[in-house]
Each structure stands twice: as structure tokens, then as C-alpha cells.
Amino acid sequence: MQARAIALLRGENARMTHARKAIVDLVFSVNSPISAISVLKGLAKKDIGVNKTTVYRELSYLVKSNILKEVFIKPNSIHYESALLPHHHHLICNNCGSVEEVDCVINERKLLQKIKSKGFDLKTHKFELYGTCASCS
Ligand SMILES: [Zn+2]
Ligand SMILES: [Zn+2]
Ligand SMILES: [Zn+2]
């Protein structure tokens, strides 16, 4: 697991349980956002016995702890990725569900600065882009 993730969790005085470490390791090891069901399957493949309730509870704990981030692939389908990745957005194909990571859109930094200069205390934002990927169109 990345040192920064461990440090963040320690800062919370949280116990690094076997399940928690396995979940973080799994999400960090895949290179695109992963669903809770895929986390469950991935753990089972590694013979790590963690039940569904624990997986959901740990995922929401890890999001609250800023270790993981939620990505909305479809309106009702939450996926998870490392919150320690550099800021980026996702190009999501409505047809095959493929996810491509893209850098900040042009002038995004300028826009964010402008919002902050208005005195708005901006914490975060989501901006996912939905459409049809090159191999589907
Ligand atoms: Zn596609
Ligand atoms: Zn991503
Ligand atoms: Zn952004």
C-alpha cells in the first residue's frame, strides 16, 4: 500500500484491519475505477474472506478518510479509485462502459480560481464526461 495512504489512515487513529488493507491494495492495483462487487470478487479470488457488508462499510469509511474516491460510471453505479491520484476526469462510454482518464479540461484551473476569488469556499467538484467511445461509434 502507498505510504501516503497508510499515513492518512494512521492519522485517523484507525486500526489497519486485514480487510481494510486488502481493499485498499486491490483498488490501488487496478488502473481504472472498480465497483464494490468487483472488489468483493477480487478479494474472493485472492482467498481473502471478507463479507459484502464489510466491503461496503470499509469502502464508505475509506471514502470518508480521503483514501478512495467515488466515481459515478452510471447514475446508480458507484465505482472507487485511489483518491491519491493526480486530479483528473473520466470519459465514460455509455455503450461498453469503458473509462478513460483525462487531465483537467482547458482553463479549468482558471475557472476554479475565479470561483474561489468570489469568496466561495469550494471544496471539490465532479465532472465526468459521458458519450460513446471510439471503438463503439
Ligand atoms: Zn465503448
Ligand atoms: Zn480515475
Ligand atoms: Zn477537475
Side-chain angles (χ1 to χ4, degrees), residues 86-113:
H87 182 75
H88 64 278
H89 296 272
H90 299 102
L91 287 182
I92 298 160
C93 177
N94 289 328
N95 188 48
C96 70
S98 69
V99 179
E100 193 188 323
E101 314 221 303
V102 285
D103 286 342
C104 280
V105 288
I106 298 162
N107 284 335
E108 183 185 337
R109 278 167 214 282
K110 238 185 208 169
L111 170 70
L112 298 181
Q113 269 163 18

